[in-house]
Amino acid sequence: MLIDYSWTLRDANQPKHIGEEAYMQLRSQAHARSAQRLLELFQANGGIYIKLGQHIAALVYLLPNEYCDTMRVLQNECPPTSLRDIEALFESDMGVGMADLFEAFDPEPLGVASLAQVHRATLSGSVLQHGLRLHRGVAGAGGSSSAAAAGVDSGAVAAAAAASAVGDGAAAAPRAPAAERRRVAVKIQHPSLDQHAAIDIQSCAFFVRLVKRLFPAFEFEWLASELQSSLPQELDFRLEAANAERVRANFANSQLMRIPEIVWADRRILVMEYVEGGKIDDPEYMQKHGISPEAVSADLTKAYSEMIFRHGFVHCDPHPGNVFVRPCRDRRPWWQFGLVGLPKNYEIVLLDHGLYRTLSDAFRLDYAHFWDALIRANEPDIEHYAYRLFLHDERVSANGVEHHRLFASMVSGRSWEAITMANGEGLTYARTDSEVNQVKKNAQMDRFLIAIADILAKLPRELLLLLKTNDLLRAIDSSLGVSSGRRHLVRMVSMMGWYCADAICRETVSALSRQHDELRRLGDLVVWPLWTYRAVWEAWLRFLGMTLRLSVLRLV
């Protein structure tokens, strides 16, 4: 790959000699050849390399199209672990065989991913009878993968009296009927990862850094750093169980989100409630069940806006295999039936809770301000909050690209011209063919590609994963055929804008409240009530103003 790029693009004056279009085609061919070589390398090594390839495929707006398109086949090309190896894994990690735990176990996996595969199973009646308990708070558990470390009494399980993995407390049995509780999904990590994962992670990091030394303009060390940071967490299913419990608590009062309940968790084995549904990018499934793709897309945006701007705890891998939709009764209030909006006869099922990021309050607020500025097309605020989010305050790259403008396009998936058009309503206008072609053309140009890599190297890891999450959500919208309509875009912008304004208002009032309490604690003689402060009213009026503006936008 290195030799190919060095030879093909050896002359810096090539664009002048052969023409810009011919040069772009030459470089695209080099990208395609290199991407194919990389794909073959990932397929030959499997495991961690497949995961890396899937990560590359998701970065549609950040990497050359040739890499994203070539790596996309890895989303569905993961070799399964054999039933014999699964049985051996239960024996080694749980201390018992599958027959002691399950009445039935489907040998055909429901799905196979780079790190694990999922099987449908039926819990043994005796296991359920002896008091199956839910997994809680196991993130602090030790490194052992034995049955004892998972909180399971091996002898009791052998006698068909299993207990769940327990951390800082256990809950009562699931609320579903016993017959339903017996149906479970079993997630099993590929056993070979234990032998090769650590070495593969270090190898990937080494080669990325080697390329950086040979080609200083190659600024993709962040990819290796992210791999080293996130993969060890994804390989411990006890952490995934803890994440699932936390996000379920965050959406406890929501009728929209369904998080399968955890039955028990070990480091490499996770047993959870079995929930049926169709992939969220399957419009035929939705049509069959009378579900509106537009409404589903809007609700998914709502859920992620709530995670990002209110909870600060974000599921960062929403590809279609991890997000399902399933029919249910209409969730709207009775007074909205037939009068307001599309039917809400579905719920969104969120799966695979291995990759999450916790956002600090400072980061969450800066990101809310940044999106608020994007929606208002206010360039001074866009610039200010973009550089607050960056790790380094370098305003313009060496080749003259203004970083805050390029970053705005990377986050929104829109051109800078589209963002700033129509008096601050540019994000609500449908993408034109001209805009799409311009974005693609810019992404292929050397100066923009180098600037993108430069920006990615400056971003905190939380923001890198949010960029990936944004791309995956946009890909879902595109699959559902709702990404280009103005009504849909207005709804998306309105929803995100409301959550941004809400986060800004809440944080402003909360900060004033803390200052107010501190004055009272210090014993100031006169402390006026919080509602008398001008800043409180300014925060609420700003929030109401944004809400009114977005409401008018939806009506128009």
Side-chain angles (χ1 to χ4, degrees), residues 408-470:
S409 295
M410 291 165 63
V411 171
S412 64
R414 306 296 301 268
S415 68
W416 178 254
E417 292 73 20
I419 293 170
T420 54
M421 70 178 284
N423 297 319
E425 296 180 12
L427 290 180
T428 67
Y429 281 84
R431 292 177 178 86
T432 63
D433 291 340
S434 174
E435 181 191 351
V436 172
N437 292 334
Q438 185 61 46
V439 170
K440 288 182 178 179
K441 183 179 178 181
N442 288 347
Q444 299 297 321
M445 295 174 66
D446 282 341
R447 71 190 194 101
F448 281 104
L449 189 61
I450 293 171
I452 288 172
D454 196 26
I455 289 174
L456 292 175
K458 291 183 173 69
L459 297 183
R461 286 177 182 159
E462 299 93 331
L463 197 45
L464 288 170
L465 282 177
L466 288 185
L467 288 175
K468 173 193 171 186
T469 301
N470 288 344

Side-chain angles (χ1 to χ4, degrees), residues 73-87:
V73 300
L74 295 176
Q75 300 288 4
N76 302 307
E77 288 190 10
C78 302
T81 294
S82 69
L83 192 61
R84 179 187 300 175
D85 289 340
I86 292 172
E87 178 71 47

Side-chain angles (χ1 to χ4, degrees), residues 150-172:
V152 180
D153 183 338
S154 299
V157 172
S164 70
V166 180
D168 57 0

